[in-house]
Amino acid sequence: MIFIDEFDRLQDAAGRVLFADTIKMLSDRVVRVTIGLIGVADSVSELVREHRSIERALAQIVTRGIDASQMTIRPEAVRKITALSQGLPHYTQLLTQLAAQAALTHRRIAVGGPDVDVAVGRALDRAQQSVVEAYQEATTDTRRSIYPQVLLACALAPENDFGLFTPSDVREPLSRILGKPYKTAAFARHLDELSQESRGEVLQKYGTGRTSRYRFLNPLLRPYVAMRGVSEGLVRVQDLR
């Protein structure tokens, strides 16, 4: 049991996101620990305030890093980085650094959208080996299949407060990726197999049948999959939630 006292006094939005991200990581990895946040507030939502401030906090991470480098960044580039980060400060910092390097390569101190596009490719090259291997194990097939597209649709699917999504949440993004309507029954088997050892167990499944819910076992895989989709032209940054 770990208690964090006077949590309400933490006013820095970026700090709150880091706390929320740490708690989510512990939950995703099923670490046997209980976190107790202690503070003064009318409700738990008011105490944490993570969902409403996360995008603003990620944007602050971007601008602070750029300001520290005595550079500037266009609003479009900030929006791209925060969307691609999928809520994880790790990717926010990495993409900001790589985008700044891309701008400096062309002797510019202003970071723009094209620099972020370059950063995406470089971030994919720098991804953790375990993340790359998990993606390959989940999507590689000797026959033509839609496992890569299904996994990408999972990365785009809306999540609830616990990071879970349903098969019906996957239907709309998958239909958009493949360019034609898909019914849940057409890819239910793929979701089930992505949660099994034969496909690297990249998804964690809860419940059965219509009550089944899924989430990424490794939180770092979700933004990696999303960035691959953008890099390969399967989706646009605007499609990311």
Side-chain angles (χ1 to χ4, degrees):
M1 184 75 181
I2 301 175
F3 290 100
I4 310 296
D5 197 9
E6 298 186 343
F7 191 77
D8 57 303
R9 298 185 64 179
L10 179 60
Q11 299 300 315
D12 181 61
R16 287 179 177 271
V17 169
L18 290 173
F19 258 107
D21 191 52
T22 299
I23 294 172
K24 186 176 185 300
M25 287 280 284
L26 292 172
S27 173
D28 289 339
R29 296 181 181 278
V30 199
V31 177
R32 299 187 63 181
V33 62
T34 300
I35 306 293
L37 302 180
I38 303 172
V40 179
D42 292 331
S43 66
V44 174
S45 298
E46 182 183 340
L47 179 64
V48 179
R49 289 181 290 173
E50 182 262 332
H51 291 292
R52 286 174 290 180
S53 65
I54 186 168
E55 187 173 341
R56 183 172 68 253
L58 293 178
Q60 287 179 359
I61 292 174
V62 175
T63 54
R64 286 177 182 176
I66 293 296
D67 290 344
S69 302
Q70 296 184 328
M71 300 177 70
T72 61
I73 185 167
R74 299 183 185 280
E76 171 204 0
V78 176
R79 288 192 294 270
K80 273 191 172 184
I81 291 174
T82 56
L84 289 163
S85 300
Q86 298 282 281
L88 295 183
H90 165 77
Y91 280 107
T92 306
Q93 294 168 343
L94 178 61
L95 289 170
T96 301
Q97 178 187 25
L98 295 176
Q101 290 175 356
L104 290 173
T105 299
H106 293 89
R107 298 184 179 182
R108 288 185 282 102
I109 62 170
V111 179
D115 298 314
V116 179
D117 296 335
V118 174
V120 169
R122 294 178 179 176
L124 291 173
D125 292 337
R126 293 192 182 190
Q128 293 180 7
Q129 188 63 27
S130 60
V131 172
V132 177
E133 290 176 354
Y135 177 83
Q136 292 175 341
E137 187 173 1
T139 59
T140 300
D141 205 325
T142 55
R143 300 168 297 174
R144 186 174 181 179
S145 69
I146 61 170
Y147 284 104
Q149 292 86 349
V150 171
L151 193 60
L152 176 57
C154 291
L156 302 182
E159 300 175 326
N160 64 15
D161 291 342
F162 301 98
L164 301 173
F165 56 87
T166 67
S168 60
D169 292 328
V170 178
R171 184 175 59 241
E172 189 276 328
L174 181 62
S175 299
R176 188 169 67 247
I177 292 166
L178 293 174
K180 62 179 181 180
Y182 262 75
K183 294 184 178 180
T184 304
F187 60 87
R189 174 178 62 86
H190 297 78
L191 288 177
D192 192 53
E193 291 186 6
L194 287 170
S195 66
Q196 296 177 10
E197 189 175 351
S198 60
R199 287 277 166 189
E201 202 175 356
V202 294
L203 297 182
Q204 195 168 21
K205 183 179 180 180
Y206 298 85
T208 58
R210 294 185 177 182
T211 64
S212 61
R213 301 287 187 274
Y214 297 86
R215 69 175 173 183
F216 281 88
L217 189 61
N218 182 351
L220 293 177
L221 182 59
R222 183 169 176 251
Y224 174 82
V225 172
M227 285 193 290
R228 278 193 68 118
V230 171
S231 178
E232 294 171 0
L234 297 175
V235 294
R236 304 168 302 168
V237 174
Q238 300 94 300
D239 296 325
L240 306 183
R241 298 178 185 272

